[in-house]
Amino acid sequence: MMETVVKTEFEDMKLIARGKVRDIYDFDDKMLIVTTDRLSAFDVILPNGVPGKGKILTEIALFWFEQTKGIVRNHIITADIDEMPAVCKKYRSVLEGRSMLVHKCKPFPVECVARGYITGSGWKDYQKTGAVCGIKLPAGLVDSERMPETLFTPATKAEVGDHDENISFDKMAEMIGMAKAQKLKNLTIKIYETARDIADKKGIIIADTKFEFGELDGEIILIDEVLTPDSSRFWFKDKYEPGKPQQSMDKQVVRNYLETLDWDKTAPGPVLPDEIVKNTAAIYRQITDILKG
């Protein structure tokens, strides 16, 4: 099994943030984003990582950034070590395949969630209230059914270890202004539906996903990761059967395992068994191979 990179330490680079999965280094008006093999579930970073996961996430994010650049500009400058600052070449063995040099921008303090199918917490919400995140839906929908239209359900971005919190569109508009809120909603739905249609042709259903956006020189751009198994829910189209939970192509295998444990979903998280780690790595690799053909 390949080496697992769960944390990076580069003595001659300035670390400015360590997120659930990514370590971020400062280069003046640019940043180096290093995607580690850390795995988080229920907003808790788990003790053991998934070998090669960071490289797979980087590969799939770059694929989607390329596919969606006609809709909105993104923050990518390069993923080629030879085009990065000289100091990066010193750490090529770690950085190769798992790092991106990006524009530094001002991120919006919200996560932009697109839901195309009713599942997960949305399904639980609907069963109780007939709505998802306060948005009323027709009666009689079943688990995993495609909804009549894509829902936009923003959330606040939590600190590492805390849980993201769903908010209303009006609350989002209060936070960032109505014009920008409407723009982010429109972009979220368009990017999701474009990606959904691309994936559908390849036999993959993207049930839901979340995006992050920032501002660069007054322009709204797509940042962070995009349409990866960490930020999205993928299903096999040929195995799709509404009315029950679906077999996922993402870290749902990890969530399902964790739900069987007596764990209160607070740190520290439990160590994952080798079998769950191997299965997760295989699923991540499979979805990337299918999407890239």
Side-chain angles (χ1 to χ4, degrees), residues 117-120 123 126-127 140-146 205 235 239-247:
Y117 293 73
I118 188 163
T119 186
W123 170 239
Y126 175 75
Q127 287 177 291
L141 296 180
V142 299
D143 188 1
S144 305
E145 185 172 349
R146 181 166 169 170
I205 291 171
W235 297 334
K239 296 177 182 174
Y240 173 62
E241 196 177 329
K244 64 178 187 180
Q246 306 303 303
Q247 183 178 346

Side-chain angles (χ1 to χ4, degrees), residues 64 111-117 119 147 150-155 187-196 205-213 222 225-234 250 255:
W64 285 118
E111 290 193 331
C112 296
V113 180
R115 300 173 187 258
Y117 293 73
T119 186
M147 292 184 284
T150 301
L151 298 189
F152 175 72
T153 60
L187 283 172
T188 296
I189 292 172
K190 184 162 188 185
I191 297 167
Y192 165 72
E193 292 183 346
T194 298
R196 178 197 66 196
I205 291 171
I206 304 178
D208 52 38
T209 193
K210 62 183 178 183
F211 303 118
E212 294 194 33
F213 295 91
L222 184 61
E225 62 178 327
V226 58
L227 293 152
T228 73
D230 268 15
S231 65
S232 316
R233 206 183 306 252
F234 297 99
D250 51 49
R255 295 191 198 100

Side-chain angles (χ1 to χ4, degrees), residues 166-230:
N166 293 328
I167 57 174
S168 67
F169 176 78
D170 289 341
K171 175 66 175 174
M172 176 182 170
E174 280 178 31
M175 294 168 65
I176 66 172
M178 179 57 77
K180 289 176 182 176
Q182 191 62 55
K183 174 86 169 171
L184 293 188
K185 177 181 178 180
N186 293 345
L187 283 172
T188 296
I189 292 172
K190 184 162 188 185
I191 297 167
Y192 165 72
E193 292 183 346
T194 298
R196 178 197 66 196
D197 293 347
I198 291 170
D200 183 76
K201 290 184 177 72
K202 296 171 183 279
I204 293 172
I205 291 171
I206 304 178
D208 52 38
T209 193
K210 62 183 178 183
F211 303 118
E212 294 194 33
F213 295 91
E215 285 184 292
L216 180 66
D217 301 327
E219 181 182 5
I220 291 176
I221 65 171
L222 184 61
I223 64 170
D224 195 54
E225 62 178 327
V226 58
L227 293 152
T228 73
D230 268 15

Side-chain angles (χ1 to χ4, degrees), residues 8-174:
T8 61
E9 304 263 12
F10 305 124
E11 60 183 26
D12 38 9
M13 290 191 206
K14 181 183 176 185
L15 181 74
I16 52 174
R18 205 184 291 281
K20 292 169 191 166
V21 176
R22 288 162 184 80
D23 294 347
I24 303 175
Y25 293 86
D26 186 50
F27 285 91
D28 299 322
D29 61 340
K30 304 174 186 70
M31 301 186 303
L32 184 72
I33 297 180
V34 185
T35 307
T36 72
D37 298 330
R38 292 194 294 270
L39 183 68
S40 73
F42 304 110
D43 295 311
V44 174
I45 298 170
L46 302 177
N48 50 334
V50 175
K53 170 177 172 280
K55 292 187 176 185
I56 294 171
L57 291 183
T58 301
E59 186 179 345
I60 197 169
L62 290 169
F63 169 81
W64 285 118
F65 277 127
E66 183 66 26
Q67 297 293 318
T68 58
K69 67 182 183 182
I71 300 171
V72 62
R73 182 184 172 192
N74 61 61
H75 67 165
I76 299 291
I77 298 171
T78 186
D80 185 343
I81 304 294
D82 290 325
E83 296 174 359
M84 293 180 183
V87 67
C88 298
K89 298 176 181 64
K90 180 177 171 183
Y91 302 106
R92 183 186 294 271
S93 62
V94 177
L95 296 177
E96 193 90 72
R98 65 169 73 247
S99 58
M100 303 182 292
L101 188 69
V102 304
H103 293 288
K104 190 182 288 184
C105 68
K106 181 184 177 185
F108 287 101
V110 290
E111 290 193 331
C112 296
V113 180
R115 300 173 187 258
Y117 293 73
I118 188 163
T119 186
S121 62
W123 170 239
K124 290 177 185 174
D125 193 1
Y126 175 75
Q127 287 177 291
K128 290 178 188 169
T129 66
V132 173
C133 298
I135 302 169
K136 261 317 205 198
L137 292 173
L141 296 180
V142 299
D143 188 1
S144 305
E145 185 172 349
R146 181 166 169 170
M147 292 184 284
E149 60 183 38
T150 301
L151 298 189
F152 175 72
T153 60
T156 56
K157 287 197 288 190
E159 296 296 318
V160 174
D162 292 333
H163 296 284
D164 299 336
E165 183 180 340
N166 293 328
I167 57 174
S168 67
F169 176 78
D170 289 341
K171 175 66 175 174
M172 176 182 170
E174 280 178 31

